[in-house]
Amino acid sequence: MNFAKNLRMFRKQKKISQMMLADSLGVSQRTVSHYENGTSEPSLQTLCKLADIFDITTDELLGYKKII
């Protein structure tokens, strides 16, 4: 799996809309959409915020660790 697919999967598991996630990150909904479509990647700071929001490691979010 790649980051874009993982982000969408974790967001849906937490039942968070793209808009709610965008508000938490301080970005637009369009930016979150770009992350999920793979047309843009977050900064390291945003990646860490995402991991905190989903209570996972950045490795899991990036797909470097097996997801259970």
Side-chain angles (χ1 to χ4, degrees):
M1 284 190 151
N2 62 29
F3 167 74
K5 289 180 184 177
N6 287 345
L7 176 59
R8 180 175 287 147
M9 178 189 69
F10 286 120
R11 180 180 61 77
K12 289 186 177 207
Q13 281 180 353
K14 289 276 189 174
K15 297 182 177 151
I16 299 172
S17 69
Q18 284 185 346
M19 192 66 215
M20 290 170 27
L21 182 57
D23 288 344
S24 296
L25 295 172
V27 299
S28 69
Q29 179 272 327
R30 185 178 181 135
T31 298
V32 172
S33 177
H34 285 299
Y35 294 161
E36 290 188 359
N37 290 324
T39 57
S40 181
E41 294 180 350
S43 67
L44 182 57
Q45 182 180 11
T46 301
L47 185 68
C48 291
K49 284 181 185 179
L50 285 165
D52 285 343
I53 289 167
F54 299 127
D55 195 29
I56 58 173
T57 66
T58 54
D59 281 351
E60 288 173 299
L61 191 54
L62 293 171
Y64 290 120
K65 190 172 182 181
K66 186 175 180 177
I67 299 171
I68 299 172

